[in-house]
Amino acid sequence: MPRLLRGAAAAASSPLRSAARMAASHTARQLDQDLRSWRKGQTALLSRQARCAPAMGPSAACCAAATRLASSASSQASAAARSANTGPGDAGSTSTAATAATANFNTEHSWPQSKGAQADPAMSDIHHLFPSDASANSERSNLPFGVVVTPSWTSADPDGDGDVSKRGLDANNKMVFEPRNAKKGDIARALFYFYVRYKSRPTPGFTLENFTAEEATLIQWAANDPPDAFERQRNALAFRAQGNRNPFIDRPEFVAAIGDFPNN
C-alpha cells in the first residue's frame, strides 16, 4: 500500500468512543478547543505532506494525508447515527427512528453492511450514513454504484426535475444502482472516506468487491459534483459528533491526486 494510504489508514483507526461518553466529556468549550487543535494539527500535517511529497510521489503523499485527516483527533462513531435522522437534511418532523419510519425514511449505509459495515465502529460511522427513502434503500440493497443504461426500477420524482435514482444494468451488463445526480459526489466522497478509514484495519466482513467495480465511476462523480455548502456543513457537524472529518470534503483534490486506490 502506498505510504500516503498507509498514513491515512493509520490516522483513521483511532479508538472510537460511544456517543454517551462523547456527550459527557465534551462541553461546548471543549468542542471549540478540539476544533482549534484539529486545525493546528491539520496545518502541521499538510506542511509535512508538502515537504515529503517529492519523495513519496503525489499519489502516495495525498493518500497518506487523506487517511490521517480521516481520523484526526479522536475518531468516534456515534450510536445515535443508527437512527434515521442522520445529520442535516431530515424532514422537519423526523427526529426519531419511529417518526422516520412513518415518513418512509431509514438509514442508508453507502458502504453496505454486508460488505464490511455490519459492526461498529463502521456500522454507525456518520460519514457514510445518509437518510434515505426506504423504498430506494431496499432497491439498492448491497449493489455497487454505477451508471444504469437499462433501468429495471426508477425512483419517484417528487420535485419534477428528472433527477431520480435508478437500479438496472450498466454498459457491462452488471446490475448496479445509480443515485440522483445531486448526491453522486457526496456518495463518492463517503466511500473514499470509508476506504481510507477502514481498509488498513478492516471490520468483520470487509471486502473491496463493490469498491473495485465502483472506483472509476466514483472518481468521475466526485469530479462532476464537488462539495457544496450543505456537504461541508454536514462534515463539520459529523466532526462535532464523532471527532473526525472526511478529508475528501475538506480537500476534494485528494481524489485526483491519489488517482488509483489500491484494491489489494
Side-chain angles (χ1 to χ4, degrees):
M1 179 187 292
R3 287 183 63 189
L4 182 56
L5 279 173
R6 287 202 303 270
S13 59
S14 302
L16 293 141
R17 293 185 295 173
S18 70
R21 287 184 62 193
M22 176 69 175
S25 63
H26 282 72
T27 63
R29 177 177 297 178
Q30 287 173 315
L31 283 169
D32 290 339
Q33 290 173 345
D34 289 346
L35 181 57
R36 286 195 296 271
S37 296
W38 177 83
R39 286 171 176 160
K40 182 178 179 181
Q42 180 183 6
T43 300
L45 170 65
L46 294 177
S47 175
R48 291 196 301 273
Q49 172 203 349
R51 291 197 299 271
C52 68
M56 289 185 178
S59 174
C62 285
C63 232
T67 304
R68 290 192 181 98
L69 290 175
S71 56
S72 60
S74 55
S75 176
Q76 303 154 55
S78 170
R82 298 179 197 172
S83 70
N85 55 320
T86 315
D90 307 337
S93 61
T94 302
S95 58
T96 67
T99 55
T102 300
N104 201 38
F105 276 93
N106 61 18
T107 304
E108 163 70 356
H109 292 72
S110 57
W111 193 290
Q113 295 186 69
S114 63
K115 305 297 182 182
Q118 61 187 343
D120 283 330
M123 183 172 67
S124 54
D125 190 322
I126 294 173
H127 285 297
H128 85 111
L129 302 181
F130 297 93
S132 172
D133 174 84
S135 299
N137 198 355
S138 176
E139 292 291 341
R140 189 261 168 137
S141 184
N142 63 356
L143 290 173
F145 291 108
V147 177
V148 172
V149 296
T150 307
S152 56
W153 173 87
T154 301
S155 71
D157 183 14
D159 296 329
D161 58 4
D163 194 10
V164 296
S165 299
K166 294 174 284 188
R167 184 199 65 198
L169 300 177
D170 66 6
N172 296 315
N173 213 36
K174 301 293 185 182
M175 187 64 70
V176 297
F177 188 88
E178 182 175 356
R180 295 183 297 121
N181 291 331
K183 290 299 178 184
K184 286 178 176 176
D186 306 51
I187 288 172
R189 284 178 285 276
L191 295 178
F192 291 137
Y193 161 85
F194 196 99
Y195 175 100
V196 299
R197 173 64 180 84
Y198 296 105
K199 183 176 183 291
S200 62
R201 295 188 180 181
T203 50
F206 182 90
T207 173
L208 293 174
E209 177 185 4
N210 274 14
F211 187 83
T212 300
E214 301 164 332
E215 181 183 350
T217 299
L218 297 177
I219 290 172
Q220 189 62 54
W221 287 356
N224 292 344
D225 178 28
D228 57 15
F230 174 86
E231 190 178 359
R232 289 191 291 271
Q233 176 66 1
R234 186 183 191 276
N235 192 31
L237 292 173
F239 169 73
R240 290 183 69 90
Q242 66 178 42
N244 69 336
R245 302 179 69 88
N246 182 336
F248 299 102
I249 297 173
D250 290 329
R251 300 293 301 273
E253 68 273 19
F254 279 3
V255 176
I258 292 169
D260 179 28
F261 291 74
N263 294 320
N264 52 35

